[in-house]
Amino acid sequence: MLEAERKQGQFPLLEMSHLLYGGKDQFDKFLERQSFFDNHPMFKVNHDFYNKSRQDQILLNAERTVEAMKKLSLADPNYYTPNVLCPQGIFISTVHFAMVIPAFQVLASDDQISKWMTSLKNFSAFGCYAQTELGHGSDVQNLKTVAVFDKQTSEFVIHTPNIEATKFWPGELGLYCEFALVFAQLQVDGKGYGVHPFWIRIRDKETHKPLSGIEIGDIGPKMGYAVKDNGFMSFDHYRAPLDSLLNRYIKVSKDGKVERQGNPKVGYGSMMYMRNILCDQYTKFGGRALAIAVRYSLYRKQFKDDNKQEIRILDYQCQQQKLFPLLAEFYACVFGSVKIKELVNENFNRISQKNDFSLLGLTHAVLSGAKANYTYFVSNCAEWCRLSCGGHGFAHYSGLPVIFFEMSPNITLEGENTILNLQLARYLLKQLQHVVQKPSAVPEFFKFLSLETAKVDDVTTIESLITLLGLNCANLTKYAAQKLMSHPDMKESWDTKSGIALAKAASTFIPYFNMLCFLDTINNKAKETKEILTVLARIYGITMLLNNMQGLLLKNQLSSQQIKALQDTRESLYPIIRVNALCLVEAQGLSDNSLQSLIAPREGDVYMNMYNFASKENSLNKQQVHNGINYIQKMREVNAKL
């Protein structure tokens, strides 16, 4: 049924696949990993999974993790994509490999790395990243867990002084890990030295029970991450050895002398690494949702045309408006994530190999904005894709609810998005100051802040859209700066007077950044895909402007005629995307097993798929007469007595 749609595609599919995955080698590795999941019986999608209890889901996920480790090197960052592929739940080991090991690489001394890294990579020392507490999450500086140095024994006494200080939410803590990287306030001789990480054993090696002085458990069901054992942990004067403090940047001697070296902000290194994974890997979930929605919109027909033929719902302009801007945004985020990954890796290498922190500020700012923008995009994309599939989009068998549930927590975890936008805003203000006082210090990505006005003949070209998006962000940044400076108390102004304006300004930077990356991809990487990518880039840029043009309107830099031109142009580009829509989502190379959807197979009868699941696979129908019928009789008896 879809073969005709595939044949009308106007670009080479393989070239687009290579662009989406960052090159031929990366795409080939993806297909290799995907083939493993497609052909292993334990990883075949089971749509009855959601009828299982959480306990059974967790155990099944544990079995799957073991099977995956037999064939895949889960410690290799290139293999984090199994999170996108593995049906119904991420692996047990995700936090361990994506956060604990990177933290060690940045924060541990050479001796500590030599002692622990082999055990960490082969899973002999399995740990969690225990930072967030009941009372504090994004506000890391004010965590309440303490690590008090005892001079008499040369140990750290780790303690939870109140209920707010209970570690809460760390993944892999509730059931599995034997070690924890515990972030606590270091205190020596009554003096505080800030928050630092301590690597400690928390469960007995033989019995796996919590060690004396430690209480641990799972926090319970939550929205998304059903199979992840997010946990809680508290300490009652638990003693940890001197070398439990990861001490590349701060050391405490046996007699209590404290020595600092390097940049104290390096503690955020591992969190930045995880944010990069959220941008680089988890953005792919948006593409997965779009693949389902586009395919289903081609299968699904509703209402008849003048020739009495039912119309595919993707042919309706309103359906295109729901999906095509999101498809363009998916491509923009993917191309942006490639540049961000390069930036993060360069920063990580400079810090770990050369003790060079020169890229830390820039990387932190861009990554903060991208994490906020991309995670919101994926959640929003999944929801709109679900809505575009009508009633069937609500069913787990569509493969869409799980994307929304699993991805929505990413808006909050590893840095709440509003806080991250405000951190980007702080960097924008710093560069705005440099524009005036030290222009040579302004990084290339932020030179747009010098813009005061722009003359564009055609607002719909890629170059004009980049200029206007930059000018929009520059205007909003300057507006936020004026609002901030209009109050004498800067701290109070930031917290209570100008926060909305600051967050707004920051939220407009990533669309500008993404467009730069989009243009770079078109000019320097694309060959026979240039034309269709240019159409996508224009749709993305126009959509971003139409969604948020406040900065341009503040200075009357966009007329009503230009706004109309933006709207009309976007609509005129939709027919081009309509012809290529299926190929654009199938360029991801996702198999039916990866899509996990009965409503969007590569070929087949979607209605028969849904009926067969309901009638043959749904375990709730295994009993011809369900036990619950007994309660119907009891309800009748109760009603008879009323």
Side-chain angles (χ1 to χ4, degrees):
M1 185 176 180
L2 300 183
E3 200 55 39
E5 291 283 336
R6 295 187 180 101
K7 289 179 179 178
Q8 69 183 12
Q10 299 170 324
F11 63 89
L13 200 67
L14 198 57
E15 180 185 324
M16 192 69 83
S17 299
H18 294 167
L19 290 174
L20 284 173
Y21 286 87
K24 179 181 183 302
D25 289 345
Q26 291 89 328
F27 182 59
D28 288 346
K29 288 178 181 177
F30 171 82
L31 292 179
E32 177 188 338
R33 295 191 292 272
Q34 181 170 250
S35 177
F36 165 75
F37 291 105
D38 288 348
N39 295 310
H40 195 298
M42 186 169 282
F43 294 99
K44 292 290 184 183
V45 174
N46 174 13
H47 293 284
D48 199 49
F49 177 83
Y50 301 101
N51 276 330
K52 296 180 183 292
S53 68
R54 181 169 178 247
Q55 172 83 348
D56 288 340
Q57 290 180 358
I58 287 173
L59 290 174
L60 177 58
N61 185 60
E63 290 183 62
R64 286 172 168 168
T65 302
V66 173
E67 287 301 308
M69 291 184 75
K70 291 177 181 178
K71 294 292 184 181
L72 304 177
S73 174
L74 298 185
D76 183 346
N78 291 322
Y79 285 88
Y80 291 152
T81 39
N83 293 329
V84 182
L85 303 175
C86 183
Q88 300 140 344
I90 60 177
F91 292 133
I92 290 174
S93 57
T94 307
V95 174
H96 174 79
F97 288 130
M99 295 193 71
V100 175
I101 289 179
F104 252 84
Q105 291 171 328
V106 172
L107 301 174
S109 66
D110 291 341
D111 288 342
Q112 289 173 321
I113 290 174
S114 177
K115 178 180 178 180
W116 288 103
M117 193 54 66
T118 300
S119 297
L120 286 166
K121 289 186 174 181
N122 67 22
F123 230 49
S124 297
F126 177 28
C128 68
Y129 192 90
Q131 179 173 287
T132 298
E133 297 175 353
L134 262 176
H136 293 86
S138 299
D139 186 8
V140 177
Q141 299 174 70
N142 286 307
L143 294 177
K144 300 301 182 185
T145 302
V146 295
V148 181
F149 183 69
D150 184 344
K151 280 187 178 181
Q152 292 184 343
T153 61
S154 295
E155 294 174 314
F156 296 104
V157 181
I158 299 178
H159 184 60
T160 303
N162 53 47
I163 196 69
E164 291 181 18
T166 303
K167 295 297 180 184
F168 216 82
W169 285 106
E172 294 158 23
L173 168 62
L175 302 174
Y176 292 124
C177 69
E178 295 178 340
F179 290 84
L181 193 60
V182 178
F183 286 77
Q185 299 281 357
L186 173 61
Q187 296 178 6
V188 181
D189 289 334
K191 181 180 178 180
Y193 289 88
V195 175
H196 295 280
F198 297 80
W199 179 244
I200 61 173
R201 174 176 282 280
I202 59 173
R203 285 186 169 101
D204 185 87
K205 186 176 182 179
E206 303 300 328
T207 67
H208 199 65
K209 292 181 179 179
L211 296 177
S212 178
I214 303 177
E215 183 183 8
I216 308 173
D218 179 86
I219 67 170
K222 52 206 176 286
M223 179 179 177
Y225 292 112
V227 301
K228 182 60 64 178
D229 59 324
N230 298 84
F232 67 86
M233 177 168 56
S234 61
F235 300 91
D236 184 3
H237 298 92
Y238 177 80
R239 290 185 170 271
L242 182 63
D243 67 351
S244 62
L245 170 65
L246 297 195
N247 57 24
R248 179 174 291 276
Y249 298 99
I250 185 168
K251 294 182 179 180
V252 178
S253 66
K254 289 183 178 181
D255 57 358
K257 291 182 180 179
V258 180
E259 179 184 356
R260 292 182 183 272
Q261 58 186 24
N263 191 325
K265 292 183 180 179
V266 75
Y268 297 103
S270 55
M271 183 170 282
M272 290 171 66
Y273 200 73
M274 185 60 193
R275 288 173 186 167
N276 176 49
I277 293 173
L278 290 172
C279 295
D280 178 42
Q281 304 290 348
Y282 285 75
T283 300
K284 300 291 198 300
F285 278 90
R288 192 170 111 186
L290 285 160
I292 295 170
V294 168
R295 274 191 184 168
Y296 178 74
S297 297
L298 291 168
Y299 280 120
R300 182 76 166 179
K301 296 178 180 180
Q302 292 286 283
F303 308 106
K304 294 181 178 180
D305 60 17
D306 292 339
N307 297 319
K308 308 300 181 182
Q309 298 297 311
E310 285 191 303
I311 302 169
R312 291 182 177 184
I313 62 175
L314 195 61
D315 289 331
Y316 289 105
Q317 190 186 48
C318 286
Q319 185 77 344
Q320 294 173 7
Q321 175 63 21
K322 290 177 184 177
L323 296 177
F324 291 173
L326 292 172
L327 182 57
E329 189 169 0
F330 167 67
Y331 271 78
C333 290
V334 168
F335 296 147
S337 72
V338 172
K339 173 58 68 175
I340 291 168
K341 186 176 181 179
E342 293 173 1
L343 188 62
V344 169
N345 287 341
E346 176 64 20
N347 174 63
F348 196 79
N349 290 335
R350 286 193 187 189
I351 291 175
S352 60
Q353 297 173 14
K354 303 175 183 177
N355 204 34
D356 176 0
F357 294 85
S358 58
L359 277 181
L360 183 62
L362 171 65
T363 306
H364 173 66
V366 174
L367 188 55
S368 293
K371 187 271 178 184
N373 182 283
Y374 293 4
T375 55
Y376 176 76
F377 157 70
V378 174
S379 178
N380 184 57
C381 179
E383 175 66 353
W384 274 105
C385 286
R386 184 185 66 78
L387 293 171
S388 74
C389 293
H392 293 307
F394 284 84
H396 270 299
Y397 59 64
S398 74
L400 290 168
V402 67
I403 299 176
F404 179 75
F405 287 140
E406 294 288 305
M407 295 299 103
S408 291
N410 294 342
I411 292 173
T412 302
L413 60 80
E414 307 311 327
E416 193 276 331
N417 282 2
T418 302
I419 301 297
L420 292 185
N421 271 327
L422 289 173
Q423 291 178 8
L424 171 57
R426 193 178 297 278
Y427 189 82
L428 283 166
L429 295 179
K430 180 180 179 181
Q431 299 313 315
L432 185 61
Q433 190 175 28
H434 282 164
V435 165
V436 177
Q437 300 175 355
K438 195 179 179 182
S440 61
V442 180
E444 190 66 32
F445 291 132
F446 292 86
K447 290 189 181 298
F448 70 89
L449 288 169
S450 64
L451 290 173
E452 292 291 342
T453 186
K455 188 178 186 307
V456 293
D457 296 324
D458 181 358
V459 294
T460 69
T461 67
I462 292 181
E463 292 76 13
S464 295
L465 290 166
I466 289 174
T467 298
L468 291 172
L469 286 167
L471 182 59
N472 187 53
C473 184
N475 289 347
L476 288 172
T477 301
K478 292 165 188 174
Y479 171 76
Q482 292 170 356
K483 204 170 180 67
L484 177 68
M485 298 295 290
S486 65
H487 299 275
D489 188 325
M490 293 291 287
K491 181 67 170 65
E492 182 182 359
S493 180
W494 182 282
D495 292 340
T496 66
K497 307 294 183 183
S498 56
I500 296 173
L502 290 163
K504 183 77 169 179
S507 71
T508 61
F509 169 74
I510 290 300
Y512 167 77
F513 173 84
N514 280 350
M515 280 293 284
L516 289 178
C517 297
F518 219 140
L519 183 60
D520 178 67
T521 301
I522 293 169
N523 289 342
N524 300 314
K525 299 177 182 178
K527 295 177 182 177
E528 296 179 68
T529 54
K530 285 181 184 289
E531 188 173 340
I532 189 65
L533 287 177
T534 298
V535 174
L536 283 170
R538 293 177 72 194
I539 290 175
Y540 173 70
I542 290 171
T543 301
M544 293 301 101
L545 267 186
L546 291 175
N547 287 351
N548 187 353
M549 60 180 74
Q550 183 179 334
L552 298 174
L553 297 179
L554 281 173
K555 294 195 173 184
N556 297 314
Q557 291 172 328
L558 202 62
S559 67
S560 59
Q561 290 83 2
Q562 289 173 318
I563 294 173
K564 182 177 183 299
L566 290 169
Q567 293 172 327
D568 291 345
T569 298
R570 182 172 65 172
E571 291 175 14
S572 73
L573 295 174
Y574 284 170
I576 302 174
I577 300 301
R578 168 63 188 87
V579 172
N580 293 279
L582 182 62
C583 292
L584 284 168
V585 296
E586 290 193 346
Q588 299 173 82
L590 294 170
S591 66
D592 283 355
N593 197 58
S594 292
L595 284 184
Q596 306 172 28
S597 175
L598 294 180
I599 71 172
R602 182 173 177 84
E603 299 293 348
D605 187 332
V606 295
Y607 300 118
M608 185 60 72
N609 288 345
M610 289 184 271
Y611 179 77
N612 283 341
F613 166 73
S615 62
K616 299 176 182 178
E617 299 174 28
N618 182 357
S619 60
L620 205 60
N621 295 326
K622 296 301 180 184
Q623 290 178 281
Q624 191 170 11
V625 178
H626 194 268
N627 293 337
I629 194 65
N630 297 328
Y631 293 93
I632 300 296
Q633 181 59 37
K634 291 180 180 180
M635 289 165 60
R636 290 169 180 155
E637 292 170 1
V638 170
N639 188 62
K641 296 177 181 178
L642 295 178

